[in-house]
Amino acid sequence: MSEEIRIGVYVCHCGLNIAGVVNVKEVVEYAKTLPNVVVAKDYVFMCSAPGQAMIKEDIKEHKLNRVVVAACSPAMHEPTFRGVLGDAGLNPYLFEMANIREHCSWVHPDDKEAATEKAKELVRMAVAKARLLEPLEKIKSAVRPAVLVIGGGVAGLRATLDLVERGFDVYLVEKRSVLGGNAVKLGELAYTTLTGKDVVNSLVEKIKANPKAHIFLNSEVEKVDGSIGDFRVTVTRRLGEGKEEKIELNVGAIIVAIGYDPYEPAIGEYGYKTTDKVVTLFQLMDILSEEGPTKGELLIGGIRPKSLAFILCVGSLSTTPNAKPYCSRMCCSASLKTILKIKEKYPDIDVYVFYKDMRTYGKEEDLYWKAIENEVKFIRFDEAPSVKPRDKFVEVEAFDTTIQERIAIPVDAVVLANGMVPATDTEKIRIMLKIGCGADGFLKEAHLKLRPVEALTDGIFLAGVATGPKNIIESIASGSAAAAKAATIVTKEEIEVEPLIARVNEDMCSGCGICAALCPYEAITIEVKEDGKRISKVNSMLCKGCGTCAAACPSGAMQQSGFKDNQVMAQVVATFRGE
Amino acid sequence: MSEKPKIALYWCASCGGCEEAVLDLAEKVLDLVNAVDIVFWPVAVDFKIEDVEKLPDKSITASLINGGIRLTEHEKVVKLLRQKSQYVIAYGACSAWGGIPGLANLYKREELLSRAYFEVPTVVNEEKVLPRTYKDEELGIEVEVPEVLPRLLPLDRVIEVDYYVPGCPPTPDVTWNAIQALLSGNLPPKGSVIGASSKALCDECPLNETKPDKLLIKEFKRITEFTPDPEKCLLAQGLPCLGPVTRGGCGALCIKANMPCTGCFGMLDNVSDYGAKALSFLASILDVEDEKEVERQVKEKIADLVGRLYRYTLPSSKLGGKVFKR
Amino acid sequence: MKPVVVVGGGIAGIQAALDLADQGVKVYLVEKSPSIGGRMAQLDKTFPTLDCSSCILTPKMVAVDRHENIELLTYAEVKEVVGEPGNFKVKILKKPRYVDVDKCTGCGQCVMKCPVKVPNEFNLGMDMRKAIYIPFPQAVPLKATIDPEHCLYFTKGVCRVCERFCPPKAINFNQKPEEIELNVAAIIVATGFSLDDARKRGEYGYGKYPNVYTNLEFERLLSSTGPTKGEIVRRSDGRHPKKIAFIQCVCSRDELTNKYCSAICCMASTKEAILAKEHLPDVECTIFFMDVRAFGKGYQEFFERAKQEFGVRFVRARPAKIEEDPKTRNLIVYYEDTETSRFTKEEFDMVVLAVALRPILPESLVKSGLIQPDNYGFADVPEMYIEPVRASKPGIFVIGVLQSPKDIPDSVIQAGAAAMRAAIYAISG
Amino acid sequence: MAEFKPKIVVFACNWCTYAALDLAGTSRMKYPANFRVIKVMCSGRVDPQFVLEAFKQGADGVIVAGCHPGDCHYVNGNMKTLRRMTMLKKMLEEMGIEKERFRLEWISAAEATKWVQVANEMVEQVKALGPLKPRLEVKE
């Protein structure tokens, strides 16, 4: 038989904030009449040290097993009073708060009688719920002190280096045979003589020197099970001659840094691939790189162009039917940076930039000023320019919105500033990790503003262009940021999760599957038991406790701890009457 | 010789199907008759109320009552049976929750009487006579005609009910399980449902395993729109099958006939309002984010929400029926 | 393990502190004003999701307050830093609040009783606060502070009304400044920005014409906790505007003031125009811009929605000047529409200027050479390609707008990056 | 006859509407004392059974309130609320409960003013309709 319910009710004056409107003594006397209430008291500041001490003493003296505090909003002091219960040796979840300040005294100052009546009812509702509360334990799970990084581009490398320097084992899985991703082809970077390759090398050298780093090249993640703190990962490594090996890893967190693909223009889009005089910006940066096909010499279609046209927003801003609707962020600055490097080496070259919006944001505006100083000519378009290959040159034609005229400029070569598209693996990774992606096809962060490197699934973090276009500096910063998030997990021996989550009563569950379809966190799965019967299972590490599954569960088998049907229903009933 | 347990059977507002259901036990009826003494069963045996009145209190082991409480007479008889019985069993959907006759609670008593006695095309009642108690001059007696109650009530709103046997009607297996439980005395806590499953129909539905990983639908469908694939969960095909919210134990008879469950086994132990819960799960899986579209689908595909979702349980619902302005 | 100091309690500082503290590193978060929250607390909603700014920020502020590894030093400033990476000595001055924070419950009785009214800096001086005040309803810590420059007791030696009415007796006029010295492994600086002085662009009449606003002022007008409780009304006559002009690049991309782009204004103005439309469905909003810098995730889509769904008008022009009609106090904007090469003027009844962001560099760190300003005055990041948040001196990190103009997500990312790098010093310290 | 003081039950999500009510308090806004708020973590937790129970117990009105679409703390719990409550509204109408007695509202944590407006409006509307309890024929 269950123990006798013994409730203590504590009504706070909050100075005059409550007591100035609500007749606190009357509320206390009323609370004493409620079933199971064995003690009811008031105090000027219940959250103060003496107030807390009073509750602790009463818990011991009156053998209280439920506590109700009628005071301010639980948003403020629920954790405080839960702590009080814990200190007194009572389960912190046997606590309920009645908000008689924000929801009562402060908003009904002119009607003291109504406010007092309401305060009594709020206490009655809290007591009704408290009576049905159950002790809950935070859910704990051991954490594996290692991290999986998927993708060896700059973001993945930065994350790996940070975490190994921080003292954790990192498994870096890269699909290709080399590390560095797209950055190695970027040539010389803006404001420096460093190349993308230099950046990659400096990171890789330090990583390779650290015994905590475990690099898997030619490898892909095949399967991921488990959840935050304890992911079980299967990696397949290609060994050549069609042979493969499987590697099993066990990590506490995962960083996804799968990068992007440069937008590949369609054949004929701005003359692409119909003449060797049209190249993409990525191809041009490769040409200009010391290790490129021309050892850094500017040669396009076999000749050294005397004039160049850059067309921006190729593949972006819906400029052509194939183009993506979003902005690729880095192409304006990357184009201008490249132009300035070319101008340094070949001052006589004429450069025309066809653009829609010049997006050299922040300090990169500097590149725009410098380009103007270097007599780069800018032509603004609304409608994408057309590129017409002629015998010896290429003609770029566009309607210049500034002078309101259609102009045609003959140039020796055309550079298409192509944007970024989600890496081909994005979809596969997304499904495997059960993380979302947005309409743009990039991985979706938990919150665009404040949780930009976290996936919706706990324990999985996102770095670099995997979530959307970024320049190299931003990608590197996001690698460190994702590493910091991963470190917050793997630094702990155990992680704790709030217990106000969904739980299923298996004796009542028919495995109908309604709950599983609704869960935004993929925390519910339908398991098939030995007898072939289906049953719902909640992964308590994934559940965030919204309770939408409980509201939908047609058999009442799914309940949310702390907000069970009978608990909420008791509050509803108590709104209107006592027991 | 030890006395056999005494059993009473009675019907209130019901279609008679529950009476048939007892006979559907087939040869097992003979086992039943051998095992018990039937002391009252107006439809089959010629005992009168007076015979019951003469029995000592609590002398009947169990009374199986079907049908909802619609008339003052029902009220009177069930109270008598309560007094004379150890166990009262609400047998069948109508008795347990009001059943199909309970849908009358969407109308006022006056509307119902007017419809039944004046408006139905086959009725000829020029003098607008309504059933009432009157004095038969020839016989010289008062002819007592029971009164229609303002609302139909489930049995447990009138007398205490010990156990419930669900179904419209209860299937032979469910009936036999219940009777066996009663006779063996191996009974769950008072107020329980006996004879059926403790889980929803999906648990025993042969199509449960065909459900997709994400049971979401873009549109409700009407059964008249298409022939459902008999190998695939009907809900997943867009039919608002009520299997998930309905107690199992029927053997998924409708599903086997390629028809969606309409809910005649009622709600499960943790549910207090069948229709609300049915609504909640159906709305949940309708993967539509536009309010207008939800409204359209309800209007065009479900039409009569209360009739559909409270087909067997309206009088036992939280509101009990339609709320009329005074 | 050694602690880390985070200087600045805006969103970047808050996030850095949380990311460190969650790694088990002890953090001192130093904020010069009475509450953390920074600029983000002043915003109504954020682009492109239109999330309510305080709703998403407040939980983080509360988390900072409750974190066992974070010690919050509000109303405090860093005075001096010496030392080397892994071992910095930081002197912090805690200004007196004249309120005992252990006793103060934030009930606000004192504020109600205080007789002195002072321009409210949280609402950019558009309304008044008291000499004892809580900066905004969600302030963390939710404690009162006496502003000695205006308090009657400090200026004239009389009053002490707050003391009389304070229920828990928390007022203490005898509090003295307190100096704290910390030994820390690393320092993260996130001191943020202020707007440049819009008067530098005198042709737009800010400070002269009452109905010309800065975008931050407009943000407070939109907010339900602002001076007008979320009503968009004109300073001159309290009437709802019918036509609002938003002018971009005021003191940005400008040879005379700041050559750089302030990065956030295009989207901020787009958002403000949308919110204005939500507040006043009939209002016409025009944005005068040079290039629409919708470069972040979801920004271009947001810009398209503003045009198509909300009917915000975009004009590619940098207005030449604004004149006021002295009778109506309406504003006549002179501009050349560069897409039609037409010179024209147009009358508006409210103008909102998107003013450039200026970094706030902490003097103490600049003086000691730990942070070097770049040629624009932002904190320099010499190793930007390898360590994008490291200042001139290793062990010192500069994040947020202090380092370059940026939006909230980029500031949050930098905060995480700095927390990661600082944690490495902390564990080896 | 005593003045009719309607009682209205509010199911509010923790993150937006409950916070908006708190803000109304800290901002010392005034609204009628007719509301009793029951907190749930997400409006998606509101089981239609709760709403019916409230009416059964004698609520003259019920408000279910949560974050604006797109703002849900739990990704899209409020969209499930939208579906459920849209259907419930229709069913309540079939059951004779006037639509003015049941509202679904999106009130963000900053919209204390909106809450006050909704509260005033709701009280007025429900007062005009009169009490619901005497119409119910449910026996306990």
Side-chain angles (χ1 to χ4, degrees), chain B residues 58-304:
Chain B
K58 305 279 173 207
S59 63
I60 304 174
T61 305
S63 287
L64 275 69
I65 299 172
N66 73 73
I69 310 303
R70 174 84 269 182
L71 302 174
T72 47
E73 184 188 58
H74 298 149
E75 226 177 334
K76 201 172 108 192
V77 177
V78 300
K79 280 180 176 163
L80 176 66
L81 288 170
R82 176 68 270 182
Q83 188 193 334
K84 302 295 175 189
S85 314
Q86 289 168 37
Y87 296 116
V88 166
I89 318 302
Y91 182 79
C94 297
S95 174
W97 323 292
I100 287 178
L103 288 172
N105 285 1
L106 288 171
Y107 305 89
K108 291 183 192 170
R109 173 171 50 187
E110 295 67 36
E111 287 175 317
L112 294 170
L113 291 173
S114 161
R115 174 80 186 153
Y117 290 97
F118 309 147
E119 294 163 24
V120 171
T122 52
V123 166
V124 180
N125 181 0
E126 278 164 13
E127 286 160 38
K128 305 259 182 215
V129 180
L130 281 174
R132 59 187 154 77
T133 298
Y134 67 102
K135 184 146 184 160
D136 190 307
E137 298 296 343
E138 263 177 58
L139 295 171
I141 55 165
E142 186 98 331
V143 178
E144 198 187 320
V145 176
E147 259 181 64
V148 176
L149 296 168
R151 265 186 172 187
L152 185 141
L153 298 171
L155 184 59
D156 59 10
R157 299 278 162 101
V158 179
I159 58 167
E160 230 174 85
V161 169
D162 297 293
Y163 296 104
Y164 299 82
V165 178
C168 181
T171 60
D173 282 350
V174 167
T175 304
W176 186 243
N177 290 344
I179 287 170
Q180 286 212 308
L182 275 172
L183 295 182
S184 69
N186 185 14
L187 284 161
K190 193 172 149 177
S192 299
V193 167
I194 54 173
S197 171
S198 62
K199 293 193 178 192
L201 176 62
C202 292
D203 180 64
E204 66 199 56
C205 176
L207 303 179
N208 204 23
E209 63 192 37
T210 70
K211 281 195 175 125
D213 285 345
K214 291 262 178 213
L215 183 52
L216 294 172
I217 53 174
K218 286 283 173 204
E219 183 158 47
F220 290 130
K221 291 209 173 68
R222 308 184 72 143
I223 187 75
T224 47
E225 283 177 41
F226 73 119
T227 306
D229 178 350
E231 305 289 314
K232 223 177 121 192
C233 169
L234 299 176
L235 197 51
Q237 296 185 63
L239 291 170
C241 174
L242 296 176
V245 70
T246 304
R247 187 181 292 276
C250 61
L253 292 173
C254 297
I255 309 295
K256 285 172 184 163
N258 216 13
M259 289 294 281
C261 171
T262 60
C264 78
F265 266 49
M267 66 213 120
L268 290 140
D269 292 345
N270 256 14
V271 175
S272 53
D273 189 296
Y274 182 93
K277 209 75 245 215
L279 177 143
S280 190
F281 98 80
L282 284 174
S284 298
I285 63 165
L286 182 62
D287 192 13
V288 164
E289 300 207 334
D290 175 46
E291 196 178 338
K292 292 270 168 298
E293 173 62 10
V294 176
E295 282 169 3
R296 182 192 72 81
Q297 294 213 19
V298 169
K299 191 164 166 241
E300 291 176 15
K301 303 294 180 179
I302 301 186
D304 170 19

Side-chain angles (χ1 to χ4, degrees), chain A residues 17 75-76 158 162 166 329 357-359 363 365 369 380 402 404 443 447 449 467 476 485, chain C residues 19 23 47 51 66 107 253 259 291-293 297 300 316 339 374 385-386 403 410 421:
Chain A
N17 283 299
M76 190 68 201
R158 181 72 256 182
D162 286 337
R166 179 81 171 74
R329 186 168 182 150
D357 269 307
M358 186 51 61
R359 292 186 173 173
K363 291 197 268 191
E365 179 75 359
W369 288 103
R380 201 195 154 267
T402 312
Q404 292 287 302
L443 296 176
H447 190 278
K449 302 298 278 192
T467 55
I476 289 173
K485 291 286 178 199
Chain C
D19 282 350
Q23 291 184 57
F47 59 81
D51 272 309
R66 291 212 182 109
C107 73
R253 302 183 69 186
K259 286 178 84 175
D291 294 280
V292 177
R293 296 203 161 158
K297 185 162 178 168
Q300 182 69 21
R316 199 178 289 269
E339 288 180 16
D374 67 10
Y385 286 103
I386 309 289
Q403 189 218 64
D410 283 355
R421 302 302 301 157

Side-chain angles (χ1 to χ4, degrees), chain A residues 433-452:
Chain A
L433 295 174
K434 297 179 191 150
I435 52 182
C437 76
D440 55 12
F442 289 104
L443 296 176
K444 193 173 168 146
E445 49 288 274
H447 190 278
L448 190 55
K449 302 298 278 192
L450 294 190
R451 298 172 68 190

Side-chain angles (χ1 to χ4, degrees), chain A residues 15 45 93 202 223 251 265 326 335 342 397 399 415 490 505:
Chain A
F45 285 112
Y93 293 90
S202 100
K223 193 163 163 254
V251 296
Y326 54 82
S335 297
I342 292 172
E397 198 190 300
F399 184 81
V415 180
V490 293
N505 179 341

Side-chain angles (χ1 to χ4, degrees), chain C residues 169-396:
Chain C
K169 304 279 168 243
I171 309 291
N172 175 3
F173 288 105
N174 298 321
Q175 264 183 8
K176 295 278 171 284
E178 206 182 313
E179 207 172 77
I180 303 169
E181 197 171 298
L182 301 172
N183 182 227
V184 300
I187 302 172
I188 297 176
V189 188
T191 40
F193 67 95
S194 55
L195 293 187
D196 205 348
D197 183 0
R199 290 178 188 83
K200 286 184 187 169
R201 277 288 166 203
E203 65 270 37
Y204 292 153
Y206 178 76
K208 195 163 61 169
Y209 308 145
N211 296 327
V212 177
Y213 289 78
T214 68
N215 46 356
L216 205 51
E217 285 174 337
F218 190 70
E219 206 68 53
R220 296 310 301 146
L221 279 192
L222 290 169
S223 168
S224 54
T225 59
T228 57
K229 306 230 170 336
E231 283 272 308
I232 307 174
V233 290
R234 308 206 308 168
R235 232 183 314 237
S236 67
D237 52 14
R239 283 216 303 260
H240 293 306
K242 293 191 180 68
K243 254 183 110 180
I244 308 176
F246 294 83
I247 298 179
Q248 300 306 103
C249 302
V250 177
C251 304
S252 302
R253 302 183 69 186
D254 174 15
E255 221 157 351
L256 292 179
T257 52
N258 305 299
K259 286 178 84 175
Y260 56 83
C261 153
S262 287
I264 59 163
C265 334
C266 283
M267 286 296 101
S269 297
T270 303
K271 170 201 72 183
E272 284 158 12
I274 289 176
L275 295 178
K277 288 255 179 193
E278 276 184 359
H279 280 59
L280 305 169
D282 295 329
V283 77
E284 284 174 36
C285 291
T286 304
I287 298 183
F288 293 98
F289 71 102
M290 305 213 293
D291 294 280
V292 177
R293 296 203 161 158
F295 57 85
K297 185 162 178 168
Y299 293 3
Q300 182 69 21
E301 293 86 335
F302 187 65
F303 162 66
E304 298 290 345
R305 265 185 70 200
K307 276 196 297 187
Q308 274 139 36
E309 220 174 283
F310 293 92
V312 176
R313 175 176 160 236
F314 286 82
V315 178
R316 199 178 289 269
R318 182 172 212 162
K321 64 170 176 181
I322 296 174
E323 279 174 3
E324 190 190 58
D325 177 337
K327 256 190 264 155
T328 58
R329 293 296 179 95
N330 283 355
L331 303 151
I332 299 140
V333 177
Y334 291 78
Y335 65 95
E336 179 200 356
D337 184 339
T338 63
E339 288 180 16
T340 58
S341 301
R342 215 165 47 88
F343 288 90
T344 180
K345 61 178 182 180
E346 194 174 338
E347 190 169 321
F348 294 88
D349 46 15
M350 184 182 269
V351 170
V352 180
L353 305 179
V355 188
L357 311 185
R358 290 293 312 160
I360 302 173
L361 263 61
E363 233 176 276
S364 52
L365 280 97
V366 177
K367 236 187 330 190
S368 47
L370 302 176
I371 292 177
Q372 245 148 34
D374 67 10
N375 48 358
Y376 295 132
F378 291 89
D380 193 32
V381 196
E383 299 285 330
M384 65 176 115
Y385 286 103
I386 309 289
E387 274 202 78
V389 292
R390 209 203 78 190
S392 310
K393 173 109 178 173
I396 311 282

Side-chain angles (χ1 to χ4, degrees), chain A residues 7-11 66-70 94-98 123 126-127 130:
Chain A
I7 304 176
V9 177
Y10 298 88
V11 185
R66 303 287 189 283
V67 172
V68 170
V69 171
L94 298 172
F95 172 74
E96 185 65 21
M97 216 160 163
V123 168
V127 167

